[in-house]
Amino acid sequence: MYKDLLVEVDDREVSSKRIDYAIRLSLHFGAHLTGLNLIASFIPPPAVGSHLTQEMEAQLLAGEYQRSEEALARFREAAQAADVAFDVRTDKAPRHEHADLLSLHGRYADLTIVGQDGGDGDGLDCGDVVLSAGAPVVVVPHIGAPSTNAENVMIAWNASRESARAVRDAMPLLEKAKTVDVVCFHPETTSAGHGELPGADIGLHLSRHGIDVEVQLLEGGHIDVGNALLSHAADRGSDFLVMGCYGHSRLREAVFGGATRTIMQSMTIPVLMAH
């Protein structure tokens, strides 16, 4: 059972949607919620550094602390209104190190909840958080999340290490879901992956946890797997997606799996990703 959740809190407008979903998940599981705001320490470019006085640097940092206080005040107000157990936390690092810093804090939580890249600002890179956290991460779309709390869950299953890790990380959520679909796109029977009946083994494993599972084998036609997953999720009324994340943080743009990249760019429902 999830008992300790962490949510990224910032001063962007989309943060309120992420906080709202994190609060609902916390209430759903009876979990404690920590709101973490990361403050950007300023490293001036070489061309600017020699002209930046200590007073100017102090003013820039004061602005960061002011934005932090305002963001955390909105989080406190929302958490108190929902009567959820919570605390707040801040940490500081150069902005380009924020993903690693959030990942570090996330190693001491059952779930880390972050926002999708894009939207209305330059938030941290959720892909880097997923790849470096060492713990499950839920990415909330910048358009917001459905009003339900992971009641109808879809699992993107390809028998890989990453998808197996994602399913195990999502087990408390799957056990509370009303419906669970295991979806295999273009399944191929191999000794290193799917068995003779693709999806049967993971379906049996989940059923032994008391989870009522429907396994679906889909070809997807000419559409790529990422878009096919999102399209199928919409058809099924899924409100949550569980999937493995493929790639290496230092070469993310080059080697992220195609489905992972598509989901991160175009997600319409919250996604639990594990690497």
Side-chain angles (χ1 to χ4, degrees), residues 2 25 29 111 150 153 170-177 240 242 272:
Y2 304 133
L25 278 185
F29 289 104
L111 282 180
V153 181
M171 196 63 76
L173 185 146
L174 298 174
E175 290 175 338
K176 288 178 71 70
F240 198 91
V242 175
L272 184 148

Side-chain angles (χ1 to χ4, degrees), residues 44-56:
V48 176
S50 61
H51 303 286
L52 188 70
T53 66
Q54 288 186 338
E55 182 179 357
M56 294 168 61

Side-chain angles (χ1 to χ4, degrees), residues 1 17-18 23 33 118 123 162 183 211 220 227 271:
M1 186 65 67
K17 299 173 182 177
R18 183 190 325 132
I23 288 172
L33 179 63
E162 290 85 354
V183 178
I211 300 169
N227 282 311
V271 183

Side-chain angles (χ1 to χ4, degrees), residues 94-270:
R95 192 172 298 278
H96 68 275
E97 296 179 6
H98 277 191
D100 288 338
L101 190 56
L102 179 59
S103 298
L104 176 61
H105 284 269
R107 289 168 196 158
Y108 304 98
D110 295 321
L111 282 180
T112 297
I113 301 160
V114 302
Q116 176 194 11
D117 297 346
D120 67 348
D122 57 348
L124 58 77
D125 191 318
C126 67
D128 280 349
V129 176
V130 171
L131 293 175
S132 60
V137 176
V138 174
V139 185
V140 180
H142 56 69
I143 61 172
S147 59
T148 50
N149 295 316
E151 295 178 359
N152 305 303
V153 181
M154 190 170 78
I155 299 170
W157 179 255
N158 65 357
S160 66
R161 175 180 62 83
E162 290 85 354
S163 59
R165 178 73 266 171
V167 168
R168 282 164 176 75
D169 287 341
M171 196 63 76
L173 185 146
L174 298 174
E175 290 175 338
K176 288 178 71 70
K178 293 181 179 179
T179 67
V180 176
D181 292 336
V182 174
V183 178
C184 307
F185 277 94
H186 311 294
E188 295 182 5
T189 299
T190 68
S191 60
H194 294 292
E196 292 184 5
L197 293 174
D201 290 336
I202 188 63
L204 178 61
H205 171 64
L206 292 173
S207 70
R208 287 172 175 162
H209 283 266
I211 300 169
D212 187 13
V213 179
E214 181 173 338
V215 177
Q216 300 159 23
L217 310 182
L218 303 174
E219 293 301 323
H222 298 294
I223 190 172
D224 67 87
V225 172
N227 282 311
L229 281 170
L230 293 174
S231 177
H232 191 65
D235 291 342
R236 295 287 295 179
S238 303
D239 60 3
F240 198 91
L241 175 62
V242 175
M243 66 180 294
C245 179
Y246 311 96
H248 187 284
S249 60
R250 300 310 174 197
L251 299 171
R252 191 173 66 83
E253 291 303 320
V255 300
F256 245 174
T260 304
R261 186 183 300 109
T262 299
I263 295 298
M264 284 189 170
Q265 292 173 347
S266 306
M267 65 176 62
T268 52
I269 54 177

Side-chain angles (χ1 to χ4, degrees), residues 63-94:
E64 285 290 319
Y65 276 105
Q66 178 64 30
R67 284 189 288 272
S68 174
E69 290 174 4
E70 292 172 356
L72 290 176
R74 288 193 291 271
F75 170 78
R76 287 190 187 93
E77 182 179 359
Q80 288 171 346
D83 197 25
V84 66
F86 76 95
D87 71 316
V88 297
R89 188 183 303 168
T90 61
D91 209 340
K92 183 175 68 172

